[in-house]
Amino acid sequence: MGCRREEVRKAKARLELGLATAVKENKKSFYKYTNGKRKTKGNVCPLIDAAGNVTTDDKEKAEVLSAFFTSAFNSQSSYLRGTLCPDLDIWADTQHVSPEIEVEAVRELLLHLDSHKSMGADGLHPRVLRELAGVIAEPLSAICQRSWLTGEVPEDWRLAGVTPIYKKGRKEDPGKHRPVSLTSAPGKVMEQILLGEITRLASMGS
């Protein structure tokens, strides 16, 4: 299955390259293909808000979904703000240790980004980051190091493009939609670094 998927991706890449190369001689095929890619599904149907009112305006529907997704996330979190999950208590005493984030480790993570994934709200496409890994690795490692030391995350890394996907049941019910988000690729690299360090420190404390 994996090999077939890769073959399909390569065939698609060859098709797109051919269309882009021959755009001057065959504009019709090029724009037909790109316009087809730009087509999106219909808007979300009217939704019922917490007060029982029907919302039809796109902005209002977005606010209804945002409120519901936020409440669902918060209700699933059983830890108070500022406290550690019990699984992380074992490395709490080692938090003063600031690991050095290696440039090579960041470069390796960049090289393994899926270039077929969409870009996040920051506008940085994984394919660009992957192809420029040799140039980006050093400044990105410095940003990650600074983020670790200060406990702050770049604002763009906290943004996400969220799309509601209808599941089943009453379409007017916000609870019948699930959020699918596109987040920052550099932010995902930072997450992998944190995961590695947390795992390492946890193994030291066990």
Side-chain angles (χ1 to χ4, degrees):
M1 181 64 71
C3 293
R4 180 172 178 78
R5 185 179 302 172
E6 186 62 26
E7 290 176 2
V8 171
R9 287 178 176 176
K10 289 181 179 179
K12 181 181 177 182
R14 288 194 295 268
L15 171 63
E16 293 176 345
L17 178 60
L19 290 171
T21 304
V23 63
K24 290 184 178 180
E25 294 78 20
N26 194 357
K27 293 183 179 179
K28 185 177 180 180
S29 295
F30 175 81
Y31 287 110
K32 181 179 180 181
Y33 181 82
T34 55
N35 288 335
K37 290 296 182 182
R38 293 172 60 185
K39 291 179 181 178
T40 57
K41 296 181 179 180
N43 294 333
V44 176
C45 69
L47 298 171
I48 300 177
D49 62 17
N53 302 314
V54 177
T55 59
T56 57
D57 180 73
D58 287 342
K59 183 178 179 180
E60 293 177 348
K61 289 188 287 186
E63 291 174 349
V64 169
L65 288 169
S66 176
F68 176 79
F69 294 152
T70 300
S71 65
F73 174 80
N74 289 338
S75 65
Q76 293 174 5
S77 178
S78 58
Y79 303 110
L80 297 175
R81 185 182 299 273
T83 63
L84 286 174
C85 166
D87 292 340
L88 303 183
D89 285 339
I90 55 178
W91 63 277
D93 294 336
T94 64
Q95 284 188 2
H96 65 281
V97 178
S98 177
E100 181 177 352
I101 298 177
E102 301 289 344
V103 175
E104 187 56 38
V106 174
R107 182 183 293 111
E108 190 67 18
L109 289 172
L110 289 172
L111 290 173
H112 283 82
L113 287 175
D114 188 344
S115 59
H116 299 284
K117 295 289 186 180
S118 300
M119 60 185 175
D122 58 3
L124 294 175
H125 200 285
R127 181 172 182 177
V128 174
L129 295 172
R130 181 171 177 172
E131 294 183 356
L132 299 178
V135 178
I136 297 175
E138 185 171 355
L140 183 56
S141 65
I143 294 174
C144 292
Q145 186 76 56
R146 181 65 179 174
S147 180
W148 181 283
L149 292 172
T150 62
E152 298 178 358
V153 178
E155 183 176 352
D156 285 350
W157 294 9
R158 300 197 297 268
L159 299 177
V162 181
T163 301
I165 304 298
Y166 169 69
K167 297 183 293 184
K168 60 180 180 179
R170 293 182 60 198
K171 290 187 176 181
E172 300 82 5
D173 183 358
K176 303 305 180 182
H177 298 75
R178 65 182 178 87
V180 175
S181 62
L182 287 174
T183 54
S184 165
K188 292 177 182 177
V189 171
M190 179 63 178
E191 289 175 1
Q192 290 297 313
I193 292 173
L194 287 175
L195 175 62
E197 287 302 319
I198 290 174
T199 303
R200 183 182 66 83
L201 292 174
S203 63
M204 291 172 55
S206 60

